[in-house]
Amino acid sequence: MVQIKINLDENEMPKYWYNIVPDLPDPPEPPLNPFTGEPAKAEDLETIFPKSLIMQEMSNERYAKIPKEVLEIYKMWRPNPLRRAVRLEKILKTPAQIYYKYEGESPTGSHKVNSSVPQCYYNMKDGTELLTTETGAGQWGCALAYACNLFEMDCKVFMVRSSFEQKPQRKTLINLWGGNVVSSPSMETEYGREIIKQTPDIPGTLGIAITEAIEYAMKQPNAKYSLGSVLNHVLLHQTIIGLELKKQMEIIDTTPDYLIGCCGGGSNFAGLIFPFVKDIIDKKSDIQAIGVESSTCPSMTKGEYRYDSGDAAGKTPDLKMYTLGCQFVPPAQHAGGLRYHGMAPLLSQVLNSGFCKAESYREYDVFKAGHLFSKAEGIIPAPESCHAIAAVLKRAEECKKTGEKKTIVFNLSGHGFIDLYAYEKYLTGKMVT
Ligand SMILES: *Cc1c(COP(=O)(O)O)cnc(C)c1O
């Protein structure tokens, strides 16, 4: 059996990120200042973000040049090949062709460095000395700690308590890359102290950790806050995935029938599909883009499309998005990166306009899919990425029934080496949801 990889040369790596905003039929609805209810102005955001990133956040330009310094760092793990899962196809006995982009070869093991590196670069340029953030599963905390260390900035991570206790190795990784990490809610912010007083046993949420990270940044000199998903500039940075894929699909002269990715805040899925969405809007292609979420945190499939706060305390701008409500506390499950109450506004708009679809899967089925994939392809997928695989398997099974040779492409957003305890639970029958 031949191994099929579609490679790009270093010099073929995209030099620009793609901004979907000018190509959407309707302009996005603006973020609102939570205190006045008026559209947020650039100045409103300057307390927590550097000017250069605010400009990207509000930009209407179709392309944004990737700075030379960032391109050089990207080259450590990009462009990554488009791989064909030939062994998986064989096991499934499907006529479908299954391709995937694998982001797990990056320094911290997921797609998140695609955005942490440019975010740190722009912050460094604008004089930031300390970046604060929240992390759920720990992937974003690792990615930011690593990138801060590249640009010699300090990094403070508020890690959701349940993950902090379940995944001590992630804490070690953050420490190794020079970051400081505390369990959230923490005693280091007013908001954290208040939550601990009211509900001492709370497992923590991303919304609470965001509130703490912002409060902390606002009280330190030359400190800013950084978010690993949801916002326009994060989605912009992640389009490097879809832009590479587009070139690779041209090399094999194929268009995907399905583009599939998992969705927490929406950044890896948006990064995968946005460069293809213009063709979907113009009806030049019938690609079906499918975003996959956890049934325990179903913002797109069960949430409402409305303005809601990005954090638990209502301090961040209100965003128009699919949301379960900013007070939503998702039940414990192992895909920590999929536990955010909302979904990126740009992706929410694309979904609401019918240019992509959403599905949710149960945890056991998701791990079963990831297990099958790991036996076929040798890569242990992150629990988040297993969600995408579950949807891929469903399409491959459908093709088996109909005999259609469809092309399925998905994003394998990261590896699951730090999530083996979750696989252990799955293997020993202790996963019930
Ligand atoms: C964080 C994370 C996700 C979810 O975040 P998005 O912004 O939706 O991409 C998915 N997969 C992995 C491996 C992650 O670390």
Side-chain angles (χ1 to χ4, degrees), residues 414-425:
H415 69 66
F417 294 153
I418 307 266
D419 302 292
L420 293 181
Y421 74 99
Y423 278 97
E424 179 64 23
K425 264 188 143 177

Side-chain angles (χ1 to χ4, degrees), residues 110-112 139 229 262-268 337-338 382 384-385 413-414:
S110 79
H111 64 287
K112 294 212 166 70
Q139 290 272 20
S229 187
C262 65
C263 295
S267 73
N268 87 86
L338 305 188
E384 292 84 358
S385 317
S413 51

Side-chain angles (χ1 to χ4, degrees), residues 42-60:
E43 303 90 88
D44 298 342
L45 302 172
E46 277 173 23
T47 46
I48 51 175
F49 295 115
K51 285 201 171 88
S52 45
L53 284 177
I54 297 170
M55 273 169 62
Q56 272 191 353
E57 185 64 22
M58 300 187 150
S59 167
N60 269 318

Side-chain angles (χ1 to χ4, degrees), residues 142-217:
C142 285
L144 194 72
Y146 169 69
C148 277
N149 124 86
L150 290 178
F151 295 105
E152 298 178 9
M153 282 183 284
D154 291 329
C155 180
K156 174 93 181 173
V157 181
F158 291 84
M159 185 165 180
V160 176
R161 184 190 276 169
S162 53
S163 301
F164 189 88
E165 285 165 5
Q166 263 178 16
K167 300 190 174 187
Q169 302 95 331
R170 282 258 187 255
K171 177 178 159 288
T172 309
L173 287 177
I174 294 172
N175 290 151
L176 279 170
W177 283 309
N180 177 300
V181 51
V182 290
S183 173
S184 164
S186 78
M187 296 300 283
E188 299 195 26
T189 66
E190 256 171 60
Y191 189 72
R193 287 190 290 272
E194 188 57 35
I195 295 278
I196 289 173
K197 204 163 95 192
Q198 286 169 8
T199 42
D201 293 331
I202 194 165
T205 67
L206 272 176
I208 295 169
I210 295 175
T211 308
E212 285 201 274
I214 289 177
E215 183 191 318
Y216 194 88

Side-chain angles (χ1 to χ4, degrees), residues 371-405:
H371 183 203
L372 183 69
F373 180 85
S374 71
K375 292 214 289 191
E377 299 294 311
I379 296 171
I380 312 293
E384 292 84 358
S385 317
C386 292
H387 287 73
I389 298 171
V392 169
L393 296 191
K394 185 171 162 203
R395 292 327 177 291
E397 296 288 343
E398 281 168 14
C399 287
K400 191 171 157 184
K401 283 194 197 117
T402 62
E404 284 176 293
K405 287 198 171 89

Side-chain angles (χ1 to χ4, degrees), residues 8-312:
L8 287 180
D9 283 343
E10 233 177 61
N11 56 17
E12 290 172 301
M13 190 162 79
K15 310 262 179 323
Y16 291 82
W17 292 298
Y18 167 69
N19 177 11
I20 197 172
V21 170
D23 288 331
L24 289 171
D26 302 305
E29 295 190 57
L32 303 180
N33 179 316
F35 305 105
T36 64
E38 296 293 317
K41 297 192 205 66
E43 303 90 88
D44 298 342
L45 302 172
E46 277 173 23
T47 46
I48 51 175
F49 295 115
K51 285 201 171 88
S52 45
L53 284 177
I54 297 170
M55 273 169 62
Q56 272 191 353
E57 185 64 22
M58 300 187 150
S59 167
N60 269 318
E61 298 280 325
R62 184 168 288 115
Y63 294 102
K65 196 168 193 314
I66 306 176
K68 192 170 85 279
E69 293 84 343
V70 173
L71 274 180
E72 287 307 314
I73 297 171
Y74 271 2
K75 281 179 189 165
M76 290 168 68
W77 68 94
R78 316 207 70 90
N80 63 32
L82 176 64
R83 299 160 193 249
R84 184 159 160 203
V86 273
R87 288 184 167 74
L88 181 65
E89 288 171 16
K90 193 156 181 230
I91 290 175
L92 296 171
K93 298 193 178 67
T94 177
Q97 303 198 345
I98 304 173
Y99 290 91
Y100 60 102
K101 291 284 277 178
Y102 178 44
E103 293 294 319
E105 278 174 359
S106 78
T108 63
S110 79
H111 64 287
K112 294 212 166 70
V113 269
N114 296 332
S115 185
S116 70
V117 168
Q119 287 196 44
C120 286
Y121 169 79
Y122 290 115
N123 267 288
M124 177 273 292
K125 281 270 174 204
D126 286 353
T128 305
E129 290 168 3
L130 164 71
L131 270 175
T132 72
T133 197
E134 74 295 328
T135 195
Q139 290 272 20
W140 174 246
C142 285
L144 194 72
Y146 169 69
C148 277
N149 124 86
L150 290 178
F151 295 105
E152 298 178 9
M153 282 183 284
D154 291 329
C155 180
K156 174 93 181 173
V157 181
F158 291 84
M159 185 165 180
V160 176
R161 184 190 276 169
S162 53
S163 301
F164 189 88
E165 285 165 5
Q166 263 178 16
K167 300 190 174 187
Q169 302 95 331
R170 282 258 187 255
K171 177 178 159 288
T172 309
L173 287 177
I174 294 172
N175 290 151
L176 279 170
W177 283 309
N180 177 300
V181 51
V182 290
S183 173
S184 164
S186 78
M187 296 300 283
E188 299 195 26
T189 66
E190 256 171 60
Y191 189 72
R193 287 190 290 272
E194 188 57 35
I195 295 278
I196 289 173
K197 204 163 95 192
Q198 286 169 8
T199 42
D201 293 331
I202 194 165
T205 67
L206 272 176
I208 295 169
I210 295 175
T211 308
E212 285 201 274
I214 289 177
E215 183 191 318
Y216 194 88
M218 287 172 75
K219 288 182 177 164
Q220 305 287 323
N222 298 329
K224 298 282 181 210
Y225 162 75
S226 165
L227 192 60
S229 187
V230 180
L231 298 180
N232 300 358
H233 66 271
V234 185
L235 274 50
L236 175 84
H237 302 152
Q238 295 296 351
T239 59
I240 187 83
I241 302 171
L243 291 166
E244 281 180 10
L245 172 64
K246 224 172 174 183
K247 289 192 170 192
Q248 288 160 323
M249 295 308 294
E250 277 162 20
I251 293 174
I252 51 172
D253 198 18
T254 308
T255 38
D257 293 296
Y258 296 108
L259 281 177
I260 299 176
C262 65
C263 295
S267 73
N268 87 86
F269 178 59
L272 177 78
I273 70 163
F274 278 7
F276 294 85
V277 169
K278 173 95 172 93
D279 287 347
I280 300 177
I281 296 172
D282 296 343
K283 301 211 165 60
K284 281 196 197 132
S285 108
D286 18 83
I287 298 175
Q288 279 194 43
I290 305 166
V292 187
E293 58 189 10
S294 162
S295 61
T296 63
C297 195
S299 57
M300 295 186 294
T301 51
K302 298 255 172 70
E304 292 173 46
Y305 188 45
R306 62 172 168 89
Y307 271 102
D308 193 15
S309 175
D311 70 326

